[in-house]
Amino acid sequence: MNPSGGVRPSPRTLEVESLASFDRLVAAGAVAMHGWHAQSLDLRGRTAALESLDVEGAIFLGCTFDPGVEDGLRRRGALIFPKLEGVPFDPYRARLYTPQELYAGLDHSPYEELPDALVYQWSIRPGQRHRLDATLASALHDHAIGDALDELVRSDAGAGPTVVGVMGGHNAQRGTPEFAQAAALGRVLAGSGRMVATGGGPGAMEAANLGAYLSRVPELDFQAVLASLGAVPGFRPSVSAWARAAAAVVDLFPDGTPSLGIPTWFYGHEPPNYFATHIAKYFANAVREAILLEVCNGGILFLPGAAGTVQEMFQDACENYYSAREAVTPMVLVGSRYWQQEYPAWPMLQRLAAGRPMEDRIFLVDTVEEALAVIGG
């Protein structure tokens, strides 16, 4: 959905993602729906309009119609993907998630009863990943999320915001220096006009999204928030308490800077953080990992982390290794001691990069200021 009204044209298709968009097109004199993709629209009451249009070649994804309308649309050449019963999410959704949507009901219900948790519980039912209806719903959902994410990071002119990734472990606790460092990094990046993207989870990911969200508030307020969040250090033992503390901050500062989180229900035991304003949550983790790296056109900063962070680092390194020089994006490892001694990824990365176009695009730094400098701050 584009910001101006929910209709995004392309050379072959027209995605109609809101009822208002459909009504505007009809009012403007549209006569044929060839190439239209109508997503999750309640078209009850629009039967007369549908009957006046040539619907051959139109695709309706999870739409609702007046009784008897669907059969007529099919006979006239439309393709209709029906709603899928028993699925606790919309496989045809036309937008990314917000934290308020995933945590709907947080003020009066435990996390286990909220939409994010219910979708995860659905995804791990015995045999679910071998059921055709479940795998179809998941695949359709991830396609829709990918489409919505593409619209966020790319404008119609082909150039979107500069997106810088911040990768790091989920174990960084609120109230610790590690959390504060990640938050400061997100704050500086967003303050420089970049969009911050993370894996969307807790720990360093939450911190970076938090820093980005509060990039426009005074430093004194920012430090006060960091201190207050320390009262609930992590999402264990209570996701509910952890998320409510974050929601209270968002309520206090409702106009935060946008940032992106790309989590996955594959790791559903790690809840999404509340500070990413745009959440592209996937079922397929392999797809999610690839897209997370792909959208970071301004480079990636790697904070201390374990297996997941190391995986992302060398997946990014592999892409840079085989890329042409103009396509290589910066890789910045933050924490000299950590990446040389505790998890010695830096020596291997140097060896891998030697003689390749990426050689002068990898960096090892210790401070937020150094990290910003090497990516062009």
Side-chain angles (χ1 to χ4, degrees), residues 8 12 17 48 52 54 63 114 124 135-136 182 231 241 261 269 326:
R8 182 171 60 85
R12 291 179 299 276
E17 300 170 348
S52 70
D54 178 1
C63 295
L114 305 187
I124 61 172
T135 55
L136 177 61
H269 56 285
E326 61 272 14

Side-chain angles (χ1 to χ4, degrees), residues 258-296:
S259 70
L260 176 63
I262 307 182
T264 172
W265 277 293
F266 183 81
Y267 295 132
H269 56 285
E270 292 184 13
N273 78 71
Y274 209 92
F275 296 111
T277 57
H278 298 78
I279 300 176
K281 191 155 190 177
Y282 287 85
F283 288 100
N285 186 55
V287 174
R288 168 252 189 177
E289 290 280 7
I291 289 176
L292 175 56
L293 297 175
E294 179 185 336
V295 301
C296 296

Side-chain angles (χ1 to χ4, degrees), residues 22-240:
F22 177 84
D23 289 341
R24 281 197 298 272
L25 289 165
V26 173
V31 295
M33 294 183 67
H34 182 80
W36 289 25
H37 294 176
Q39 295 178 239
S40 297
L41 303 186
D42 185 349
L43 292 168
R44 290 174 294 185
R46 300 310 194 275
T47 299
L50 290 169
E51 290 178 346
S52 70
L53 293 165
D54 178 1
V55 298
E56 184 173 1
I59 299 176
F60 296 90
L61 303 161
C63 295
T64 305
F65 306 95
D66 288 327
V69 171
E70 285 190 38
D71 288 341
L73 292 173
R74 288 193 181 94
R75 285 194 301 270
R76 293 163 56 206
L79 180 61
I80 299 178
F81 287 78
K83 289 187 174 183
L84 299 176
E85 300 299 328
V87 176
F89 56 88
D90 180 3
Y92 310 113
R93 62 180 298 115
R95 64 191 184 283
L96 299 179
Y97 291 100
T98 65
Q100 292 80 5
E101 182 180 3
L102 292 174
Y103 285 99
L106 177 64
D107 56 341
H108 58 268
S109 298
Y111 171 73
E112 292 74 18
E113 298 176 5
L114 305 187
D116 183 66
L118 295 176
V119 174
Y120 176 54
Q121 292 164 21
W122 172 89
S123 73
I124 61 172
R125 289 176 184 170
Q128 193 77 316
R129 290 175 182 167
H130 302 288
R131 290 172 53 97
L132 178 60
D133 57 346
T135 55
L136 177 61
S138 301
L140 287 168
H141 170 275
D142 284 2
H143 171 80
I145 288 294
D147 187 53
L149 178 58
D150 191 66
E151 293 179 28
L152 175 70
V153 300
R154 294 177 179 84
S155 71
D156 289 338
T162 297
V163 181
V164 175
V166 179
M167 311 300 170
H170 66 268
N171 287 326
Q173 298 281 287
R174 295 168 175 173
T176 64
E178 294 78 15
F179 190 92
Q181 181 190 42
L185 185 56
R187 178 171 163 86
V188 172
L189 287 169
S192 70
R194 297 167 171 88
M195 173 173 278
V196 171
T198 77
M205 296 171 280
E206 180 192 36
N209 285 127
L210 165 66
Y213 186 82
L214 296 180
S215 64
R216 294 193 292 258
V217 307
E219 179 67 21
L220 191 62
D221 290 337
F222 176 62
Q223 293 299 329
V225 167
L226 287 178
S228 68
L229 286 173
V232 188
F235 66 95
R236 296 188 178 98
S238 173
V239 176
S240 303

